[in-house]
Amino acid sequence: MAKDILTLNNLSVGFGVGNEINKVTNKVSFTISKGETLALVGESGSGKSVTANSILKLLPKGSSHYLEGTINFDDIEILNCSERELRGIRGNRIGMIFQEPMVSLNPLHKVGRQLVETLAIHSGVRQTQAEKLAVEWLQKVDIRYPEVKINAYPHELSGGERQRVMIAMALINKPELLIADEPTTALDVSVQAQILELLRDLQKELGMAMLFITHDLSIVRRIADKVAVMQDGQIVEQADCYSLFSAPKHPYTQTLIHSDPRGLPVEVAEDSESLIKVDKLKVWFPVTGGLFKRVVSHIKAVTDMDFDLKRGHSMGIVGESGSGKSTTGMAILRLVNSEGSICYERHELQGLNRKEMLPYRSKMQVVFQDPFSALNPRMSVAQVIGEGLYVHHDFDELTVDKMICEAMEDVDLDPETRHRYPNEFSGGQRQRIAIARALVLKPEFILLDEPTSSLDRTVQLQVLDLLKSLQQKYALTYLFISHDLNVVKSLCHHTIVMKQGLIVESGRTDQLFEGPKRSYTRKLVELSSF
């Protein structure tokens, strides 16, 4: 029988100062053996990440308190370790993949330098060898053009690429225990499968144990040996993977298991007029080199993109991270330079200057992938939602406030909370705020760029139902970018499959899922059906 490498026993953690301490986790207990994977699942705010960060004592000093219990790693009592002892464990014997790669990666340093630094600190590898290993690990986690991307800053990478850099950083020193906090959230199903396979291979090679935190139960089924379900800071159910999915005992576990995206897209008229027509859209980013920084090649983000999006319809774009999905959306909004034709209501947008584009800006809105990064933390919710009204209209304060309240009611948020700040809301509520910000301008078209990928299943289902009801109420047109085909199937009438900047296949969503013609599409459909 494998030795237990990590044991949490009755761990309770609280936050606060003095006598005002709020208990966040309550008597959490579990064990993980060498080579074993424990999945920790539950809704946002249930205490999963607090538990994970407690293992390496990464919670903020001063405000966090370990109220009771023990954390034992390979016969070392973590809560009794000095900072010096912890530095020898963190990133070396215990690796961690954090949930927010944009926050976790240093924005001032290229990703190559950050990978090399990780090796230098813990392994003492020489610079040349470290740089070679860094490129190899970027290849292992399936980043395109690793020799180019190693010299990129975090903001120059897609969300999925940043997540893969974080995975490479956590695994490059081959730890004994890996704590993975939502490591595949931003990844499409094909890369997700590759990452899970990579993690399983490393487990076999190193006997590595894993604490895997996720809201995606399809991943839990594929990778976990045991599952612990958290609700309100407590573990409400714990069992081996097969037993938990085949016969869940706790009502909350049953709710989670039955919260997958459901239903069909809203009913629409097939003969609706065209709202957005794209023809031979091309977005190539130049790569410079040499002493005079001449263009030596191009990163072909999007090539020959064609589609016709009808008014009131939803179109999905799916494909791997870096396949050109988000770049297509940004090009349509004229936020990146592109070639080809972009027609909105039969009016050509290419070539319009900033002033000429302004009337279209209020008609075309966007909801980004990460609501925490997309909302200004220094602005109240009312200021965030109402900002666009001041740009596009000359309304008085009373009218603006009324429109903000109406938008919040539309997304099922209490208007009384409009003077609070984004950090006072949960992830699902922040995404509703982002939708309200887009909605307040009464747009005709909304670009939804992975709006549910960072949400747990129950909240994801609520947001999808909200998007459908808003589409029916206001006859909205959606371009929905996602790596989750089950979400696309629930919302979108038509779907485009992209790979390496090109359209692989497109058509009606139901037909595409039932009879995919291309091998790549078949692979995506098969992986999404787990």
Side-chain angles (χ1 to χ4, degrees):
M1 186 174 176
K3 178 188 174 184
D4 290 340
I5 194 167
L6 180 71
T7 301
L8 268 66
N9 186 31
N10 290 329
L11 181 68
S12 296
V13 177
F15 290 93
V17 180
N19 295 323
E20 299 293 322
I21 296 175
N22 178 37
K23 188 183 282 189
V24 176
T25 66
N26 186 23
K27 295 187 175 181
V28 173
S29 299
F30 59 76
T31 61
I32 307 176
S33 303
K34 285 190 175 183
E36 184 178 60
T37 299
L38 171 72
L40 194 59
V41 300
E43 289 183 294
S44 299
S46 62
K48 305 187 302 296
S49 293
V50 169
T51 301
N53 284 302
S54 298
I55 294 166
L56 286 172
K57 291 184 74 174
L58 293 174
L59 297 174
K61 292 179 182 178
S63 62
S64 62
H65 304 272
Y66 300 92
L67 303 174
E68 62 177 317
T70 59
I71 303 170
N72 187 286
F73 169 71
D74 196 25
D75 298 327
I76 300 168
E77 182 50 53
I78 294 291
L79 295 182
N80 295 334
C81 284
S82 65
E83 275 299 314
R84 183 178 179 179
E85 290 170 319
L86 284 171
R87 281 196 295 270
I89 295 171
R90 292 171 180 155
N92 187 24
R93 299 189 66 191
I94 301 179
M96 188 156 185
I97 305 167
F98 294 96
Q99 187 172 356
E100 298 287 353
M102 195 57 188
V103 176
S104 304
L105 294 171
N106 190 327
L108 301 177
H109 294 163
K110 295 176 180 179
V111 297
R113 177 176 173 179
Q114 296 183 58
L115 286 164
V116 168
E117 191 177 68
T118 303
L119 281 166
I121 290 170
H122 296 291
S123 303
V125 179
R126 290 186 177 182
Q127 181 79 15
T128 307
Q129 180 64 15
E131 289 173 358
K132 184 181 176 183
L133 282 169
V135 172
E136 286 178 9
W137 272 94
L138 290 184
Q139 288 174 325
K140 273 191 175 185
V141 295
D142 202 44
I143 286 184
R144 292 171 63 199
Y145 314 112
E147 295 84 0
V148 174
K149 297 293 173 70
I150 201 164
N151 293 313
Y153 290 94
H155 72 271
E156 296 177 300
L157 304 178
S158 70
E161 287 171 330
R162 287 195 293 266
Q163 191 67 289
R164 279 177 274 177
V165 170
M166 282 298 303
I167 292 168
M169 286 180 69
L171 297 179
I172 202 165
N173 283 304
K174 300 183 178 180
E176 297 161 58
L177 170 67
L178 177 66
I179 302 171
D181 191 355
E182 302 276 10
T184 58
T185 294
L187 305 181
D188 55 86
V189 288
S190 59
V191 177
Q192 193 179 83
Q194 293 164 19
I195 294 298
L196 294 178
E197 187 178 349
L198 171 66
L199 292 175
R200 281 195 294 263
D201 289 344
L202 280 166
Q203 273 190 297
K204 291 176 185 176
E205 181 185 333
L206 308 172
M208 184 178 71
M210 264 200 294
L211 175 61
F212 201 97
I213 298 169
T214 183
H215 62 259
D216 192 334
L217 297 182
S218 65
I219 292 175
V220 174
R221 283 190 173 110
R222 291 154 64 186
I223 199 167
D225 301 302
K226 298 189 300 189
V227 185
V229 182
M230 287 194 79
Q231 183 186 30
D232 298 330
Q234 292 180 301
I235 291 181
V236 296
E237 187 167 357
Q238 194 167 174
D240 68 87
C241 193
Y242 176 79
S243 301
L244 187 122
F245 279 98
S246 58
K249 294 185 174 71
H250 197 276
Y252 179 67
T253 309
Q254 294 167 3
T255 300
L256 285 180
I257 289 172
H258 295 102
S259 292
D260 285 335
R262 60 172 184 248
L264 297 172
V266 301
E267 291 188 15
V268 291
E270 288 297 327
D271 59 350
S272 300
E273 64 177 346
S274 173
L275 183 68
I276 297 177
K277 187 174 176 59
V278 171
D279 187 39
K280 297 194 184 311
L281 184 69
K282 173 182 166 182
V283 185
W284 287 13
F285 297 109
V287 177
T288 58
L291 182 63
F292 299 103
K293 300 293 181 183
R294 289 175 178 158
V295 176
V296 294
S297 64
H298 288 84
I299 294 176
K300 300 176 182 179
V302 179
T303 303
D304 291 339
M305 168 66 76
D306 297 300
F307 66 81
D308 189 354
L309 178 54
K310 295 180 179 180
R311 187 181 293 276
H313 287 227
S314 297
M315 180 171 285
I317 303 182
V318 300
E320 298 175 3
S321 297
S323 63
K325 306 187 301 295
S326 295
T327 303
T328 299
M330 295 299 103
I332 290 166
L333 295 177
R334 294 285 315 283
L335 296 177
V336 296
N337 292 327
S338 63
E339 298 177 20
S341 174
I342 305 168
C343 284
Y344 187 92
E345 294 178 321
R346 296 193 178 89
H347 297 286
E348 180 60 60
L349 301 185
Q350 293 282 39
L352 298 184
N353 60 32
R354 185 177 178 182
K355 185 177 180 180
E356 291 167 334
M357 270 299 297
L358 199 59
Y360 295 98
R361 293 289 183 208
S362 61
K363 295 180 180 181
M364 305 167 74
Q365 289 295 299
V366 60
V367 176
F368 293 102
Q369 179 176 347
D370 180 9
F372 193 77
S373 299
L375 304 179
N376 190 329
R378 296 187 178 185
M379 295 170 69
S380 69
V381 167
Q383 290 172 322
V384 167
I385 295 172
E387 186 178 21
L389 292 172
Y390 291 109
V391 172
H392 293 282
H393 301 287
D394 191 23
F395 296 139
D396 59 67
E397 294 285 341
L398 197 63
T399 302
V400 168
D401 191 60
K402 182 183 176 184
M403 293 178 75
I404 290 168
C405 292
E406 287 174 355
M408 291 186 74
E409 287 172 351
D410 274 336
V411 297
D412 297 326
L413 287 174
D414 183 0
E416 293 298 316
T417 63
R418 66 189 183 279
H419 302 300
R420 295 183 187 174
Y421 289 82
N423 68 303
E424 298 177 67
F425 294 82
S426 69
Q429 288 172 322
R430 286 197 291 265
Q431 199 59 285
R432 289 172 186 268
I433 293 166
I435 294 169
R437 176 175 63 181
L439 206 62
V440 75
L441 288 166
K442 311 293 182 189
E444 299 171 330
F445 166 75
I446 300 180
L447 169 65
L448 299 160
D449 191 355
E450 301 271 17
T452 61
S453 67
S454 61
L455 307 177
D456 56 76
R457 283 294 189 188
T458 51
V459 179
Q460 186 182 83
L461 188 62
Q462 295 165 15
V463 172
L464 277 176
D465 288 341
L466 171 66
L467 289 172
K468 287 183 186 179
S469 66
L470 291 172
Q471 187 171 34
Q472 282 185 310
K473 185 176 181 180
Y474 295 114
L476 292 170
T477 305
Y478 294 146
L479 183 62
F480 190 86
I481 294 166
S482 181
H483 64 263
D484 190 332
L485 271 67
N486 291 316
V487 172
V488 171
K489 188 176 181 180
S490 172
L491 183 73
C492 299
H493 305 93
H494 292 78
T495 300
I496 294 170
V497 181
M498 290 189 72
K499 185 180 182 183
Q500 297 181 6
L502 297 166
I503 294 177
V504 174
E505 189 170 350
S506 64
R508 281 175 48 122
T509 302
D510 52 355
Q511 294 174 355
L512 204 69
F513 275 75
E514 289 169 12
K517 296 173 183 175
R518 304 289 183 182
S519 59
Y520 179 69
T521 312
R522 282 196 295 273
K523 179 185 173 185
L524 292 182
V525 172
E526 286 167 8
L527 289 169
S528 69
S529 62
F530 274 94

